[in-house]
Amino acid sequence: MVVSDSFSNCLKLSGAEQRRFHRQAEEARNERFGNRVFVRGVVEISNFCRENCGYCAMRRDHTGLNRYRLSVDEILNEVVPNLPDFVTDLNLQAGEDPVAVREIAIPLLKILKRETRLGLSVCLGTFRESDYAALREAGADYYVMKVETGNAEHYKSVQAPGSLDERVAAIRQLSAAGWMVSSGFVLGLPGQTDAILTETVELLKALPLAGCSVSPFIPGENTRFSDHPAAGLDEVLNMVAGLRLLMPGRIIPAVSAMSLAGEGGYAGALRAGANLATINLTPERARGDYQIYRRERAIMTSELVLREIESAGCVPSEVGIRDWLAA
Ligand code: 5AD
């Protein structure tokens, strides 16, 4: 399948045609990965953020939020010992917070690298090359860096971090330095047109990525887009299927916001070719404050994730992402 303007037609599929499209994507996934789904635990280590993205409720100017940082000890004592055994990978995520990189992520990664077999990924934002190197040295090898949108003007208009050029340069730099990189975009972001969507998917296809994601836009409370409609579930799932067919060998996640986008969204994504599920491991006390959209979140617990994986006819992968991609 080539990315072209007809791509946006795929997004509108429904009924029997839609099921056929998803089945095709599921088969493409199965050909490369089987029905295995990687399960990654996510710890939201800090919600401090120096960026000010127009669509995100965690942005710097949102003063109504309690800001927190977890401690390394808290994560080691309360999170790591309770990891279900089907979790092969751990992702440390935060607002763009240099303090969290220095004081939490780097020391924690060093310990996890030494004492566990977990694959270690990070989603922390844009920093200097020496910071990426320190994270990699500490043991992480998978960097999540979203482009949000593939059009430079649109990128600027939603106040995404820095410029699209800088973001793309960071992705290339990380990949050249040996990281597995995952990127992605927000479907239904205000101002997005079919042409912008096509441009975005083309950009993602061309970038040196191990993973690629689509997140449904959810209007964030206290953002200037709070009255803008959320992305529709069918479009999101059709996009998952489209990504799988265009990029059959990449890691494509089912994101928890898909269950916010509609009933059955999570398993639906796995049935449309996604092959990564995430479990939220952030301690209870902090979860409500990690507010990308609003306080109510779709928290994926391990029971819930296992049930969704099973209902999609899949099984948790026994092998982590790094070992799979290296094999
Ligand atoms: N809707 C959907 N996704 C969002 N993100 C931030 N705000 C929203 C929103 N309102 C996603 C972006 C960002 C990640 C942290 O969360 O992709 O990079």
Side-chain angles (χ1 to χ4, degrees), residues 181-200:
V181 185
S182 181
S183 189
F185 69 102
V186 182
L187 183 69
L189 200 56
Q192 189 174 64
T193 60
D194 282 356
I196 290 179
L197 210 50
T198 303
E199 215 179 332
T200 303

Side-chain angles (χ1 to χ4, degrees), residues 8 11 17 29 37 61-62 81 86 110 120 122 125 158 162 171 191-192 198 202 240 253 256 264 273 277 284 291:
S8 34
L11 293 188
E17 276 184 326
R29 193 245 351 255
V37 172
D61 285 353
H62 184 193
F86 52 85
K110 284 183 181 159
L120 301 171
V122 291
V158 295
I171 290 170
Q192 189 174 64
T198 303
E202 265 167 0
V240 170
S256 58
E284 208 63 50
Q291 204 183 109

Side-chain angles (χ1 to χ4, degrees), residues 55-57 93 123 146 148 167 185-186 189 215-220 290 292-293:
Y55 44 91
C56 184
Q93 197 166 306
C123 178
K146 314 268 184 89
E148 317 285 36
R167 201 77 171 171
F185 69 102
V186 182
L189 200 56
S215 316
F217 172 75
I218 314 273
Y290 201 85
I292 297 174
Y293 336 105

Side-chain angles (χ1 to χ4, degrees), residues 201-269:
V201 175
E202 265 167 0
L203 172 65
L204 288 167
K205 189 164 188 272
L207 284 171
L209 299 175
C212 188
S213 72
V214 51
S215 316
F217 172 75
I218 314 273
E221 275 173 12
N222 301 295
T223 68
R224 66 185 167 101
F225 300 128
S226 57
D227 292 331
H228 195 93
L233 181 60
D234 281 323
E235 286 210 332
V236 178
L237 298 183
N238 291 347
M239 181 54 86
V240 170
L243 292 179
R244 171 57 68 206
L245 290 167
L246 283 166
M247 313 162 186
R250 286 185 181 171
I251 308 289
I252 299 178
V255 306
S256 58
M258 284 165 187
S259 21
L260 282 182
E263 184 76 27
Y266 204 81

